[in-house]
Amino acid sequence: MNKKLITILALILVAILTTIVYFTLFKHEKKTFEKFQTEQAMVNFKIYLPSSNSIVIKEIYLEKESSELKNIERILEIFLSELPSKETKILGIYRDKENVVYIDLSKNFAIPQSMLEEYFLLKSLYKTLKENFPWIKDIKILIESREIETISGHISIASSLKEAVEEN
């Protein structure tokens, strides 16, 4: 009788321990999977910001959107919010068949500034988009839905922003 009781108690104890271990591991795996999914959704982006005599890099983490244009819009919103003239609004972002991205901005973006300031602004905008979205072939800046030749009168962007800021 004692052997039967000890065997039954041992089986019950093994069953309880197995259940505890199983649920502990299952919960841990679920948390690890959820953490992995969260990390997968967050993407590192670099934003290049103009300063008085150079370009400064700022790294941000954002949840990746399914639409590339939505990702560009979110990056641009952060970029524009870091500029001294924070009133600039994004009026639209368009992409053509050749992967040229058209960015339609409010008139607050085209403000008077020195040639160096204009260059760093254009270069930082170009680098921010080109490095985060390598598929972009070129960028065209529109102000109030119209193509412009320059944003401050110094650097021509009429044909290509790429030509205006890339070093050969």
Side-chain angles (χ1 to χ4, degrees):
M1 188 83 162
N2 273 342
K3 284 185 178 182
K4 281 185 178 181
L5 184 61
I6 291 174
T7 305
I8 292 173
L9 287 175
L11 288 174
I12 292 172
L13 183 62
V14 168
I16 291 172
L17 287 175
T18 304
T19 305
I20 291 171
V21 169
Y22 174 77
F23 283 110
T24 303
L25 289 177
F26 179 73
K27 284 184 181 180
H28 177 70
E29 286 178 9
K30 184 177 178 183
K31 286 179 184 176
T32 303
F33 180 70
E34 288 172 356
K35 182 180 176 186
F36 177 73
Q37 280 185 320
T38 304
E39 288 175 359
Q40 283 284 5
M42 298 303 282
V43 179
N44 179 310
F45 291 101
K46 289 182 181 177
I47 296 182
Y48 294 84
L49 298 167
S51 70
S52 58
N53 59 358
S54 66
I55 294 176
V56 179
I57 301 171
K58 179 178 181 179
E59 290 192 30
I60 60 167
Y61 291 88
L62 292 175
E63 199 170 314
K64 187 168 177 131
E65 297 283 338
S66 59
S67 163
E68 288 287 357
L69 292 180
K70 187 65 178 168
N71 286 321
I72 291 172
E73 182 179 3
R74 291 172 62 216
I75 296 294
L76 276 176
E77 286 171 350
I78 294 169
F79 175 84
L80 293 171
S81 73
E82 297 283 338
L83 297 178
S85 61
K86 297 178 190 297
E87 306 88 36
T88 302
K89 302 286 184 245
I90 300 170
L91 304 177
I93 300 173
Y94 317 99
R95 174 184 182 179
D96 69 11
K97 292 178 185 176
E98 286 81 35
N99 287 330
V100 175
V101 173
Y102 294 80
I103 303 167
D104 191 3
L105 300 171
S106 63
K107 62 183 175 185
N108 307 45
F109 186 73
I111 58 170
Q113 54 192 338
S114 73
M115 185 170 109
L116 194 57
E117 290 170 329
E118 181 179 2
Y119 175 75
F120 285 135
L121 175 62
L122 294 172
K123 176 94 174 175
S124 60
L125 174 65
Y126 181 78
K127 281 183 69 103
T128 295
L129 294 181
K130 186 69 175 145
E131 289 199 18
N132 289 304
F133 308 97
W135 54 265
I136 295 176
K137 298 290 184 221
D138 202 356
I139 300 164
K140 293 287 284 180
I141 297 174
L142 308 173
I143 300 294
E144 303 284 332
S145 301
R146 286 179 277 161
E147 288 191 29
I148 57 169
E149 290 186 29
T150 179
I151 62 168
S152 294
H154 305 288
I155 300 171
S156 174
I157 58 170
S159 62
S160 166
L161 186 59
K162 179 180 181 177
E163 289 176 12
V165 298
E166 273 193 348
E167 292 93 19
N168 296 322

